[in-house]
Amino acid sequence: MRVSTLINAALVLALLVSAVAVISAVHRNRTLFAELQQLRQQRDQLNVEWGKLQLEESTWATHARIEQVARDKLGMRMPQKIQRVVVKP
């Protein structure tokens, strides 16, 4: 009878250890899933910001914008017809 009591105690202990391990695994899984959702949301926000920055960059790099900056800030202007030289290959 003593052997069966030891076996039962060992089984109860194994059951308790297994239950605690399951609870711990479920909690870790939920924590990691919440973190994953947060990181996905952050990724989406960064993708939106990246798209806006690309659009802004393309706006700043247009020929009209570059020409405007050359005229206003650098004082550049188109050369007169008499000042132009055509180089032939």
Side-chain angles (χ1 to χ4, degrees):
M1 190 136 137
R2 191 159 191 221
V3 173
S4 67
T5 304
L6 286 174
I7 291 175
N8 284 342
L11 289 175
V12 167
L13 182 63
L15 178 67
L16 290 175
V17 168
S18 175
V20 169
V22 168
I23 291 169
S24 175
V26 168
H27 175 70
R28 177 120 172 95
N29 184 38
R30 287 181 181 164
T31 302
L32 290 174
F33 184 75
E35 183 181 349
L36 175 65
Q37 292 299 97
Q38 183 180 15
L39 289 172
R40 284 180 176 166
Q41 184 179 11
Q42 184 181 7
R43 178 204 59 195
D44 293 342
Q45 289 172 349
L46 289 172
N47 279 336
V48 167
E49 184 179 353
W50 175 248
K52 288 179 182 179
L53 289 172
Q54 285 180 320
L55 181 62
E56 183 180 350
E57 180 185 32
S58 67
T59 301
W60 285 103
T62 62
H63 292 293
R65 173 73 182 146
I66 292 171
E67 185 176 342
Q68 185 69 33
V69 169
R71 286 176 195 240
D72 295 346
K73 291 190 178 180
L74 301 176
M76 299 176 88
R77 59 180 171 73
M78 288 293 288
Q80 300 295 323
K81 221 176 199 188
I82 203 166
Q83 296 172 321
R84 295 180 197 164
V85 176
V86 178
V87 178
K88 294 183 182 179

